[in-house]
Tab-separated table of all heavy atoms in Angstrom:
chain	number	residue	atom	x	y	z
A	21	LEU	N	11.459	5.922	-6.422
A	21	LEU	CA	10.595	7.085	-6.127
A	21	LEU	C	11.343	7.940	-5.102
A	21	LEU	O	10.852	8.196	-4.002
A	21	LEU	CB	9.262	6.642	-5.527
A	21	LEU	CG	8.216	6.033	-6.444
A	21	LEU	CD1	7.070	5.441	-5.629
A	21	LEU	CD2	7.676	7.093	-7.414
A	57	TRP	N	6.077	-2.010	-1.065
A	57	TRP	CA	5.794	-3.229	-1.824
A	57	TRP	C	5.697	-2.923	-3.319
A	57	TRP	O	5.377	-1.792	-3.708
A	57	TRP	CB	4.512	-3.891	-1.301
A	57	TRP	CG	4.759	-4.449	0.065
A	57	TRP	CD1	4.787	-3.741	1.241
A	57	TRP	CD2	5.092	-5.801	0.401
A	57	TRP	NE1	5.116	-4.586	2.285
A	57	TRP	CE2	5.305	-5.851	1.798
A	57	TRP	CE3	5.230	-6.967	-0.346
A	57	TRP	CZ2	5.645	-7.026	2.456
A	57	TRP	CZ3	5.562	-8.147	0.310
A	57	TRP	CH2	5.767	-8.168	1.697
A	58	ALA	N	5.951	-3.949	-4.117
A	58	ALA	CA	6.038	-3.738	-5.564
A	58	ALA	C	4.753	-3.130	-6.129
A	58	ALA	O	4.808	-2.248	-6.994
A	58	ALA	CB	6.356	-5.063	-6.260
A	59	GLY	N	3.598	-3.580	-5.637
A	59	GLY	CA	2.326	-3.043	-6.151
A	59	GLY	C	2.186	-1.558	-5.846
A	59	GLY	O	1.770	-0.768	-6.704
A	60	GLY	N	2.541	-1.174	-4.626
A	60	GLY	CA	2.466	0.242	-4.246
A	60	GLY	C	3.483	1.080	-4.994
A	60	GLY	O	3.205	2.217	-5.391
A	61	LEU	N	4.659	0.512	-5.216
A	61	LEU	CA	5.688	1.246	-5.971
A	61	LEU	C	5.219	1.510	-7.397
A	61	LEU	O	5.467	2.573	-7.957
A	61	LEU	CB	6.998	0.453	-5.972
A	61	LEU	CG	7.737	0.422	-4.625
A	61	LEU	CD1	8.854	-0.621	-4.645
A	61	LEU	CD2	8.300	1.799	-4.287
A	62	ALA	N	4.535	0.523	-7.996
A	62	ALA	CA	4.024	0.718	-9.359
A	62	ALA	C	2.983	1.847	-9.375
A	62	ALA	O	2.999	2.709	-10.260
A	62	ALA	CB	3.421	-0.587	-9.882
A	63	ILE	N	2.104	1.859	-8.389
A	63	ILE	CA	1.115	2.954	-8.326
A	63	ILE	C	1.833	4.297	-8.155
A	63	ILE	O	1.496	5.292	-8.817
A	63	ILE	CB	0.111	2.717	-7.176
A	63	ILE	CG1	-0.831	1.570	-7.550
A	63	ILE	CG2	-0.686	3.990	-6.873
A	63	ILE	CD1	-1.863	1.228	-6.491
A	64	GLY	N	2.845	4.325	-7.303
A	64	GLY	CA	3.593	5.573	-7.094
A	64	GLY	C	4.217	6.071	-8.390
A	64	GLY	O	4.157	7.268	-8.707
A	65	ARG	N	4.806	5.142	-9.149
A	65	ARG	CA	5.422	5.529	-10.429
A	65	ARG	C	4.351	6.052	-11.393
A	65	ARG	O	4.547	7.044	-12.090
A	65	ARG	CB	6.134	4.315	-11.050
A	65	ARG	CG	7.285	3.779	-10.200
A	65	ARG	CD	8.622	4.310	-10.657
A	65	ARG	NE	8.986	3.824	-11.958
A	65	ARG	CZ	9.658	2.671	-12.202
A	65	ARG	NH1	10.007	1.908	-11.190
A	65	ARG	NH2	9.988	2.330	-13.427
A	66	TYR	N	3.220	5.356	-11.409
A	66	TYR	CA	2.154	5.755	-12.338
A	66	TYR	C	1.631	7.162	-11.991
A	66	TYR	O	1.424	7.989	-12.876
A	66	TYR	CB	1.016	4.734	-12.290
A	66	TYR	CG	-0.027	5.004	-13.328
A	66	TYR	CD1	0.195	4.688	-14.665
A	66	TYR	CD2	-1.235	5.617	-12.992
A	66	TYR	CE1	-0.748	4.975	-15.634
A	66	TYR	CE2	-2.188	5.907	-13.958
A	66	TYR	CZ	-1.940	5.577	-15.281
A	66	TYR	OH	-2.877	5.859	-16.244
A	67	LEU	N	1.442	7.424	-10.710
A	67	LEU	CA	0.920	8.742	-10.309
A	67	LEU	C	1.934	9.852	-10.589
A	67	LEU	O	1.554	10.983	-10.891
A	67	LEU	CB	0.530	8.736	-8.823
A	67	LEU	CG	-0.615	7.788	-8.463
A	67	LEU	CD1	-0.950	7.902	-6.979
A	67	LEU	CD2	-1.862	8.046	-9.310
A	68	ARG	N	3.206	9.521	-10.513
A	68	ARG	CA	4.218	10.532	-10.858
A	68	ARG	C	4.107	10.912	-12.334
A	68	ARG	O	4.269	12.064	-12.703
A	68	ARG	CB	5.608	9.978	-10.545
A	68	ARG	CG	6.709	10.996	-10.774
A	68	ARG	CD	8.013	10.541	-10.181
A	68	ARG	NE	8.537	9.371	-10.865
A	68	ARG	CZ	9.618	8.702	-10.470
A	68	ARG	NH1	10.265	9.075	-9.383
A	68	ARG	NH2	10.041	7.658	-11.135
A	69	GLU	N	3.789	9.913	-13.164
A	69	GLU	CA	3.694	10.176	-14.615
A	69	GLU	C	2.316	10.674	-15.029
A	69	GLU	O	2.163	11.243	-16.099
A	69	GLU	CB	3.978	8.874	-15.389
A	69	GLU	CG	5.397	8.403	-15.259
A	69	GLU	CD	5.579	6.966	-15.768
A	69	GLU	OE1	4.622	6.393	-16.341
A	69	GLU	OE2	6.666	6.421	-15.564
A	88	LEU	N	2.490	4.630	1.450
A	88	LEU	CA	3.162	4.976	0.195
A	88	LEU	C	2.221	5.556	-0.870
A	88	LEU	O	2.481	6.627	-1.428
A	88	LEU	CB	3.865	3.716	-0.339
A	88	LEU	CG	4.373	3.720	-1.766
A	88	LEU	CD1	5.421	4.800	-1.975
A	88	LEU	CD2	4.958	2.359	-2.126
A	89	CYS	N	1.122	4.850	-1.170
A	89	CYS	CA	0.255	5.295	-2.274
A	89	CYS	C	-0.440	6.610	-1.914
A	89	CYS	O	-0.596	7.492	-2.766
A	89	CYS	CB	-0.778	4.226	-2.616
A	89	CYS	SG	-0.048	2.705	-3.233
A	146	GLY	N	-2.709	-1.075	-3.509
A	146	GLY	CA	-1.362	-1.539	-3.860
A	146	GLY	C	-1.039	-2.844	-3.159
A	146	GLY	O	-1.025	-2.907	-1.938
A	174	ILE	N	-5.277	-0.259	-9.315
A	174	ILE	CA	-4.674	-1.403	-8.641
A	174	ILE	C	-3.215	-1.497	-9.060
A	174	ILE	O	-2.908	-1.357	-10.246
A	174	ILE	CB	-5.451	-2.675	-9.054
A	174	ILE	CG1	-6.820	-2.695	-8.359
A	174	ILE	CG2	-4.652	-3.945	-8.775
A	174	ILE	CD1	-7.764	-3.743	-8.916
A	175	GLY	N	-2.332	-1.765	-8.085
A	175	GLY	CA	-0.921	-2.027	-8.409
A	175	GLY	C	-0.575	-3.427	-7.951
A	175	GLY	O	-0.857	-3.785	-6.800
A	176	ASP	N	0.050	-4.216	-8.849
A	176	ASP	CA	0.280	-5.624	-8.509
A	176	ASP	C	1.446	-6.195	-9.311
A	176	ASP	O	1.542	-5.958	-10.511
A	176	ASP	CB	-0.992	-6.429	-8.799
A	176	ASP	CG	-0.826	-7.881	-8.410
A	176	ASP	OD1	-0.973	-8.189	-7.213
A	176	ASP	OD2	-0.526	-8.706	-9.295
A	177	PRO	N	2.286	-7.001	-8.645
A	177	PRO	CA	3.417	-7.610	-9.361
A	177	PRO	C	3.140	-9.037	-9.818
A	177	PRO	O	4.018	-9.893	-9.717
A	177	PRO	CB	4.511	-7.586	-8.286
A	177	PRO	CG	3.764	-7.809	-7.012
A	177	PRO	CD	2.384	-7.221	-7.186
A	191	ALA	N	-0.219	0.454	-17.206
A	191	ALA	CA	1.236	0.630	-17.287
A	191	ALA	C	1.933	-0.585	-16.698
A	191	ALA	O	1.359	-1.310	-15.878
A	191	ALA	CB	1.653	1.885	-16.520
A	192	GLU	N	3.179	-0.764	-17.135
A	192	GLU	CA	4.015	-1.852	-16.621
A	192	GLU	C	5.373	-1.257	-16.252
A	192	GLU	O	5.903	-0.431	-16.991
A	192	GLU	CB	4.187	-2.919	-17.718
A	192	GLU	CG	5.109	-4.045	-17.320
A	192	GLU	CD	5.244	-5.113	-18.419
A	192	GLU	OE1	4.460	-5.084	-19.397
A	192	GLU	OE2	6.133	-5.961	-18.281
A	193	TYR	N	5.914	-1.666	-15.121
A	193	TYR	CA	7.185	-1.119	-14.653
A	193	TYR	C	8.108	-2.230	-14.212
A	193	TYR	O	7.653	-3.274	-13.743
A	193	TYR	CB	6.957	-0.196	-13.439
A	193	TYR	CG	6.093	0.989	-13.748
A	193	TYR	CD1	4.736	1.000	-13.418
A	193	TYR	CD2	6.627	2.094	-14.401
A	193	TYR	CE1	3.931	2.081	-13.720
A	193	TYR	CE2	5.822	3.188	-14.712
A	193	TYR	CZ	4.479	3.171	-14.369
A	193	TYR	OH	3.689	4.232	-14.679
A	194	GLU	N	9.429	-1.947	-14.307
A	194	GLU	CA	10.374	-2.795	-13.590
A	194	GLU	C	10.611	-2.119	-12.235
A	194	GLU	O	10.939	-0.936	-12.172
A	194	GLU	CB	11.693	-2.932	-14.352
A	194	GLU	CG	12.608	-3.886	-13.613
A	194	GLU	CD	13.912	-4.139	-14.348
A	194	GLU	OE1	13.940	-5.016	-15.216
A	194	GLU	OE2	14.882	-3.435	-14.041
A	195	ILE	N	10.423	-2.908	-11.191
A	195	ILE	CA	10.460	-2.372	-9.828
A	195	ILE	C	11.673	-2.933	-9.107
A	195	ILE	O	11.935	-4.131	-9.154
A	195	ILE	CB	9.176	-2.810	-9.068
A	195	ILE	CG1	7.926	-2.260	-9.759
A	195	ILE	CG2	9.244	-2.433	-7.609
A	195	ILE	CD1	7.728	-0.789	-9.672
A	208	ARG	N	8.596	-7.266	-12.292
A	208	ARG	CA	7.666	-6.500	-13.123
A	208	ARG	C	6.426	-6.240	-12.280
A	208	ARG	O	6.014	-7.111	-11.496
A	208	ARG	CB	7.221	-7.274	-14.365
A	208	ARG	CG	8.279	-7.891	-15.231
A	208	ARG	CD	9.217	-6.951	-15.901
A	208	ARG	NE	8.623	-5.888	-16.686
A	208	ARG	CZ	9.325	-4.854	-17.182
A	208	ARG	NH1	10.614	-4.757	-16.945
A	208	ARG	NH2	8.747	-3.926	-17.901
A	209	ALA	N	5.865	-5.090	-12.425
A	209	ALA	CA	4.605	-4.803	-11.713
A	209	ALA	C	3.733	-3.963	-12.634
A	209	ALA	O	4.239	-3.209	-13.470
A	209	ALA	CB	4.868	-4.087	-10.395
A	210	TRP	N	2.435	-4.099	-12.472
A	210	TRP	CA	1.466	-3.490	-13.368
A	210	TRP	C	0.513	-2.586	-12.590
A	210	TRP	O	0.220	-2.841	-11.416
A	210	TRP	CB	0.647	-4.579	-14.078
A	210	TRP	CG	1.451	-5.369	-15.058
A	210	TRP	CD1	1.522	-5.159	-16.409
A	210	TRP	CD2	2.326	-6.485	-14.783
A	210	TRP	NE1	2.380	-6.078	-16.989
A	210	TRP	CE2	2.890	-6.906	-16.028
A	210	TRP	CE3	2.697	-7.169	-13.619
A	210	TRP	CZ2	3.781	-7.959	-16.126
A	210	TRP	CZ3	3.597	-8.226	-13.718
A	210	TRP	CH2	4.134	-8.608	-14.950
A	211	VAL	N	0.040	-1.576	-13.309
A	211	VAL	CA	-1.049	-0.748	-12.767
A	211	VAL	C	-2.261	-0.983	-13.648
A	211	VAL	O	-2.153	-0.973	-14.886
A	211	VAL	CB	-0.669	0.747	-12.738
A	211	VAL	CG1	-1.847	1.594	-12.250
A	211	VAL	CG2	0.548	0.958	-11.837
A	212	TYR	N	-3.374	-1.228	-12.996
A	212	TYR	CA	-4.633	-1.515	-13.699
A	212	TYR	C	-5.708	-0.558	-13.220
A	212	TYR	O	-5.660	-0.058	-12.092
A	212	TYR	CB	-5.134	-2.925	-13.363
A	212	TYR	CG	-4.193	-4.058	-13.670
A	212	TYR	CD1	-3.379	-4.589	-12.670
A	212	TYR	CD2	-4.151	-4.618	-14.945
A	212	TYR	CE1	-2.534	-5.652	-12.938
A	212	TYR	CE2	-3.316	-5.694	-15.218
A	212	TYR	CZ	-2.506	-6.210	-14.207
A	212	TYR	OH	-1.675	-7.271	-14.468
Side-chain angles (χ1 to χ4, degrees):
L21 285 170
W57 290 79
L61 288 168
I63 288 179
R65 297 263 293 272
Y66 186 76
L67 296 182
R68 184 167 67 186
E69 293 167 7
L88 167 61
C89 296
I174 287 168
D176 182 81
E192 176 179 349
Y193 298 99
E194 183 177 275
I195 299 291
R208 309 296 307 170
W210 291 263
V211 177
Y212 302 97

